[in-house]
Amino acid sequence: MFEHATKIRVRYGETDQMGYMYYGNYAEFYEVGRVEMLRSLGLTYSGMEQSGIMMPVLELKCKYLKPALYDDEITINVIMDKMPGVKIHFRYELFNEKNELINLGETLLVFVNMTTSRPCLPSEEFLNKLKPFFE
């Protein structure tokens, strides 16, 4: 299992009139957490795209437990439970400043060869950086 935490503050433009973060912005927070998790391994989306692989989202699940509020610093905990194949699964736990669990989420992405537009396996470099967490 591989786990990584990232912090991000809820900005005014991400909230509604009640000061609650707009529900659609949770997916963007998931993406921030996911990108930073991969970056912590020395992997980037831009690097993957330069190598000819993109990672579109196939599925998104989101469960709201408590609202994220304007100016709260949110901890995005990203969990990868198993080694990826053609698909890669991420789980998300979002916590507010009081360390209360406020949101649960999941995304399923697929590795796609940008030349053929067909699903493919991730690069050996990608897999080698993850292997130590799953042995």
Side-chain angles (χ1 to χ4, degrees), residues 6-17:
T6 300
K7 293 184 183 287
I8 188 169
R9 192 165 298 279
V10 178
R11 296 165 294 223
Y12 183 77
E14 296 167 328
T15 63
D16 60 19
Q17 287 182 324

Side-chain angles (χ1 to χ4, degrees), residues 1-40:
M1 178 171 80
F2 180 49
E3 197 167 337
H4 184 267
T6 300
K7 293 184 183 287
I8 188 169
R9 192 165 298 279
V10 178
R11 296 165 294 223
Y12 183 77
E14 296 167 328
T15 63
D16 60 19
Q17 287 182 324
M18 299 178 291
Y20 290 13
M21 186 164 78
Y22 174 69
Y23 77 92
N25 289 328
Y26 287 82
E28 289 186 28
F29 275 40
Y30 297 168
E31 183 178 6
V32 168
R34 186 170 65 242
V35 166
E36 293 306 317
M37 172 191 246
L38 295 176
R39 189 180 305 280
S40 77

Side-chain angles (χ1 to χ4, degrees), residues 99-111:
N99 205 33
E100 298 170 316
L101 181 63
I102 63 169
N103 182 275
L104 294 169
E106 296 180 42
T107 55
L108 182 66
L109 287 76
V110 64
F111 296 95

Side-chain angles (χ1 to χ4, degrees), residues 28-81:
E28 289 186 28
F29 275 40
Y30 297 168
E31 183 178 6
V32 168
R34 186 170 65 242
V35 166
E36 293 306 317
M37 172 191 246
L38 295 176
R39 189 180 305 280
S40 77
L41 295 170
L43 301 165
T44 63
Y45 271 83
S46 61
M48 290 180 61
E49 289 177 358
Q50 288 171 1
S51 74
I53 297 175
M54 63 180 166
M55 295 172 58
V57 175
L58 289 177
E59 293 180 14
L60 168 71
K61 296 179 184 176
C62 187
K63 183 172 183 177
Y64 307 97
L65 306 171
K66 289 185 170 194
L69 303 173
Y70 169 62
D71 208 34
D72 275 354
E73 185 177 61
I74 304 300
T75 300
I76 307 162
N77 194 34
V78 185
I79 302 137
M80 191 183 311
D81 291 323

